[in-house]
Amino acid sequence: MRIVVAEDLYLLRDGMVRLLQAYGHQVVATATTGPETLEALLTWRPDVAVVDVRMPPTQSDEGLQAALAARREVPGLPILILSQHVEQLYARELLADGSGGIGYFLKDSVFDADQFVDALERVADGGTAMDPAVIAKLLSSGSSNRRLGQLTEREHSVLGLMAEGLSNQAIGQRLFLSESAISKYTTSLFGKLGITDDDTNNRRVLAVLTYLNNP
């Protein structure tokens, strides 16, 4: 994969570059400020980008703003946000276009290289990879979506794990259920959310975006 790494802390940035190269990926550009991030994303149009939220010059939300601006110019540009904070409003804005290719991980939650690279590859493929803490934060404002209200407690659990990027097999292992049982739950929740089997759409991504982008 061709990757842009936007991180202002030298040791973290250099560590990610070395890690991604060790996994056979190409880091085409790095950025240390918000403006540099936007320029790198639009110039290189990478397969995926890792973007910190708070970057110079003001150390507020320049990285996230750059990611949003880049996706407005390049719809669906895969972005994995890697931050110490959950910026709830902007996270929802990232999810709002419904195109997938979005991940949001907290730095404290990344425990090993395989986990991080696996999440990055899922985002590059147009999927989602969400930190459970981010999901909890996004859902903390409560649900007003009528269709989500139709899901059973088990279907909510399956959808939450789907949002983290887990496969049916992995969800089954987490919930101590068979893969076929999880497949039945996913088929049921797709129906309740009104997501049809269409070759042009990724039903898992649409279901996750409905779940997380609930107003």
Side-chain angles (χ1 to χ4, degrees), residues 135 139 146-164 168 171 175 177 181-194 204 207-208 210-212:
I135 293 173
L139 298 179
R146 183 179 60 82
R147 287 181 169 173
L148 283 174
Q150 296 175 352
L151 302 186
T152 65
E153 184 176 348
R154 179 66 79 185
E155 288 166 346
H156 268 287
S157 298
V158 170
L159 189 50
L161 293 172
M162 198 185 296
E164 294 179 34
N168 280 2
I171 293 172
L175 297 179
L177 295 171
I182 299 302
S183 180
K184 291 178 182 176
Y185 282 120
T186 58
T187 300
S188 174
L189 69 87
F190 288 153
K192 290 180 180 178
L193 295 179
R204 296 177 75 88
V208 168
T210 299
Y211 179 60
L212 297 176

Side-chain angles (χ1 to χ4, degrees), residues 6 24 29 31 43 49 51 56 59 64 68 97 100-101 103 126 133 159 165 212-213:
T43 299
V51 178
Q59 291 289 358
L64 198 42
L68 287 167
D97 63 15
L159 189 50
L212 297 176
N213 200 31

Side-chain angles (χ1 to χ4, degrees), residues 1-206:
M1 295 188 299
R2 297 167 60 257
I3 303 170
V4 165
V5 175
E7 167 61 58
D8 59 309
L9 297 177
Y10 166 74
L11 286 178
L12 184 54
R13 182 177 67 253
D14 189 61
M16 278 196 286
V17 170
R18 292 173 185 270
L19 169 67
L20 294 169
Q21 289 173 338
Y23 274 75
H25 299 304
Q26 179 187 9
V27 177
V28 294
T30 60
T32 60
T33 69
E36 285 181 10
T37 300
L38 180 57
E39 181 180 1
L41 293 176
L42 296 182
T43 299
W44 292 96
R45 303 197 176 200
D47 297 319
V48 65
V50 184
V51 178
D52 189 14
V53 171
R54 299 186 179 183
M55 302 182 73
T58 67
Q59 291 289 358
S60 57
D61 54 19
E62 284 87 346
L64 198 42
Q65 291 285 10
L68 287 167
R71 277 176 67 95
R72 284 193 288 270
E73 292 291 325
V74 186
L77 179 68
I79 302 283
L80 174 64
I81 299 296
L82 185 62
S83 175
Q84 291 179 302
H85 312 278
V86 180
E87 300 289 346
Q88 188 172 350
L89 176 62
Y90 293 124
R92 287 195 184 285
E93 192 170 345
L94 271 173
L95 294 163
D97 63 15
S99 59
I102 283 294
Y104 199 132
F105 265 54
L106 298 182
K107 292 176 179 176
D108 291 344
S109 300
V110 178
F111 298 114
D112 61 56
D114 287 344
Q115 174 202 17
F116 175 68
V117 174
D118 180 64
L120 195 61
E121 291 175 346
R122 288 202 305 274
V123 172
D125 287 338
T128 58
M130 306 297 291
D131 192 305
V134 176
I135 293 173
K137 186 74 173 180
L138 289 174
L139 298 179
S140 63
S141 59
S143 170
S144 59
N145 187 302
R146 183 179 60 82
R147 287 181 169 173
L148 283 174
Q150 296 175 352
L151 302 186
T152 65
E153 184 176 348
R154 179 66 79 185
E155 288 166 346
H156 268 287
S157 298
V158 170
L159 189 50
L161 293 172
M162 198 185 296
E164 294 179 34
L166 271 64
S167 66
N168 280 2
Q169 181 182 24
I171 293 172
Q173 291 171 348
R174 186 78 67 88
L175 297 179
F176 303 104
L177 295 171
S178 68
E179 187 174 352
S180 62
I182 299 302
S183 180
K184 291 178 182 176
Y185 282 120
T186 58
T187 300
S188 174
L189 69 87
F190 288 153
K192 290 180 180 178
L193 295 179
I195 298 171
T196 57
D197 188 5
D198 185 338
D199 291 339
T200 63
N201 294 322
N202 184 321
R203 290 195 297 170
R204 296 177 75 88
V205 170
L206 290 178

